[in-house]
Amino acid sequence: MRAHYSLIAVLLCAPLAAQTQGEWKTLFDGKSLDGWKETQFARHGAVKLENGTMVLGLGQPLTGANLTTPFPKMNYEIRFEAMRVRGGDFFASLTVPVGESFATFVTGGWGGDIVGLSSINGWDASDNETRSYFTFENGQWYTFRLQVTPERIVGMIDDQVVFNPEIAGRTISMRPGEIKLSTPFGFASYNTVGAVRKVEYRLLRPPSGDRSRN
């Protein structure tokens, strides 16, 4: 059963209420893999375009796709849809820039149901306060959103807020290992076939005159 995050959902509005949202821009339109390349994980599977989706083939264990075009480092929101086609672990974990560092939105890791953000102060998603559980069914599409600002990082699945940590003054970093190859922006699956579609992002602009948040 999926958890409910009504209290956190209320908190979601606070960090973004004063921000101006830009227009959505497409990163993957389902027509080609232009702007993407296979992540060079050891023994990775193939990344293919199938029926308008980006399919991350079965790796041993990792397969991934890196964005090859520039992407902002801060004050942005990204949304995408993803599906676990086959397997039982993470199927579309997304690594993104956070200022001069990077972090990963883990989608169903550690056996298939743990979601969270890796890493905060050296603790990965399985051990920090962003850890929660979400039941993913194979063959079903889910909508993911991630909002990155200097104050906090907000992750959502199907309009449920699953994490919302304050990050100001904290160390954001990648989990050790090959997943670092997903930087600066990339999807990854682990011993699992995943599919991704409708990848878009928009800028979140701070209030006029507040240059400290640019």
Side-chain angles (χ1 to χ4, degrees), residues 114-162:
I114 291 179
V115 299
L117 188 72
S118 289
S119 298
I120 301 176
N121 289 344
W123 297 97
D124 62 33
S126 64
D127 296 310
N128 64 41
E129 76 266 31
T130 67
R131 172 176 174 162
S132 61
Y133 297 88
F134 195 99
T135 300
F136 295 103
E137 301 291 343
N138 287 10
Q140 180 173 330
W141 288 101
Y142 298 88
T143 300
F144 298 85
R145 291 173 61 188
L146 190 69
Q147 300 163 336
V148 178
T149 69
E151 291 78 24
R152 60 179 68 238
I153 299 176
V154 182
M156 304 177 68
I157 304 175
D158 289 347
D159 295 324
Q160 296 182 30
V161 177
V162 292

Side-chain angles (χ1 to χ4, degrees), residues 33-98:
L33 292 175
D34 291 347
W36 297 86
K37 66 177 181 179
E38 291 182 355
T39 310
Q40 294 305 298
F41 296 127
R43 303 177 70 184
H44 64 84
V47 177
K48 299 180 179 179
L49 181 69
E50 295 184 2
N51 300 318
T53 70
M54 181 192 304
V55 177
L56 307 178
L58 186 64
Q60 298 183 25
L62 288 163
T63 295
N66 287 87
L67 184 69
T68 62
T69 56
F71 191 81
K73 295 182 178 181
M74 187 61 72
N75 287 317
Y76 63 84
E77 177 180 8
I78 183 163
R79 66 183 181 188
F80 62 95
E81 295 181 3
M83 173 175 65
R84 181 191 285 144
V85 178
R86 176 164 54 92
D89 215 282
F90 67 76
F91 53 99
S93 288
L94 176 63
T95 295
V96 297
V98 183

